[in-house]
Amino acid sequence: MRKIVINGGRKLKGTVTVSGAKNSVVALMPAAILADGIVTLDGVPEISDVDSLIDIMETMGAKIDRQGDTLTIDPRGLKDMPMPFGKINSLRASYYFYGSLLGRFGRAEVGLPGGCDLGPRPIDLHLKAFEAMGATLTTHESAMVFTAKDRHLHGAQIYMDTVSVGATINTMLAAVKAKGRTIIENAAREPEIIDIATLLNNMGARVRGAGTDMITIDGVEHLHGTRHQVIPDRIEAGTYIALAAAVGEGIKVDNVLYEHLESYIAKLEEMGVRMTISEDSIYIEKQDQLKAVHVKTAPYPGFATDLQQPLTPLLLLAKGIGSVTDTIYEKRVGHVAELASMGATIETRSNYIAYQGPNQLTGTAVKATDLRGGAAMVIAGLMAKGRTEITNIEFILRGYSNIIEKLTDLGADIQLIEE
């Protein structure tokens, strides 16, 4: 068993650099298999989700070379075959192979995706889009098989009943080589959508409107190789900003795009967090008294659901009564019981979190209930008096590149221990 051990109470100082976006790269890698040539991705984070995707793609015949944060993908030897179920079940983003394999082969056989248990995340929107483009679905055992008539999808007009990042990206991947025009209405607007569209267009696709609620895709016959820089991870950036406000004596967070975090930064400023925002970095000062606020998550450009958990430990330092309401994932509250075990005045009712502060946390044994909940436990451990032991750390390593090294460089007493 592996665990993270933190001796808390230290004040941290220095500079931390944000890695490439996890939520982009897990879609950029499946997108690369649509190309007829080599695709190079720069700024790829060192996370276990990337390792799983590499294993899956190599099993299917792709050649992949990794040098530091640069990933070179040669998909020309990729085979039309069932995907390896073991790795597929380990991460949610495996569903992006539905769209990319349909786009490349006109057929996709993929196991059901895994990932964090955050409540219902149905893939019915993905199925609706594929069926509109001419694919039929059959199921057997724990796999789904999508097959396009004559192995070719056709363009369609698709309205997303709810805003979904995953369904928007998957539809884009399937549509770029479909015959005719595809229009996605009520599309998600997240920065990761724009990042995927940029890669696809650099490969020769014709995608317009990414970043708005209507995306238009004119299918092309071939896509070529290219080189692409992954955008900075806005969730990692937000995590380190919250950490800096909680335990920092002056921390600079580098490789940040402020425009990706505007609603988050606005909430921090409402709390009284003092920051200096530059072109590609944010400097967080040592904080004095903070005030409690009410947080409500919403689709982009609203407050990101992925950031409510990393923010919660900082909220516990604020004076007054506040709340967090997650309108996206009703089960994204697993971190609350763990924080309460550390002495926090905090409780939850369904997707509603109520807290009162300020709190002094005490180190104890806790677990990462999911990826972002794990980040919350790391911040809480750094804030707490005494020793905190975090288990289920595989969740954390799925999404935070070199987190132990980055925090050690800031002065944290943190170790990854194997037992």
Side-chain angles (χ1 to χ4, degrees), residues 52-60 83-84 87-88 97:
S52 295
L53 288 169
I54 290 173
D55 287 349
I56 290 168
M57 294 169 72
E58 287 182 334
T59 300
M60 298 183 70
M83 301 201 61
K87 289 292 182 180
I88 284 293
F97 286 108

Side-chain angles (χ1 to χ4, degrees), residues 27 133 138 160 193 199 214 224 262 270 275 321 337 360 364 380 418:
M133 288 187 281
T138 57
M160 296 291 174
I193 303 286
L199 171 70
M214 181 177 291
H224 53 74
E262 287 187 70
E270 183 185 339
M275 296 168 282
I321 298 173
Q360 173 60 63
T364 187
E418 303 223 16

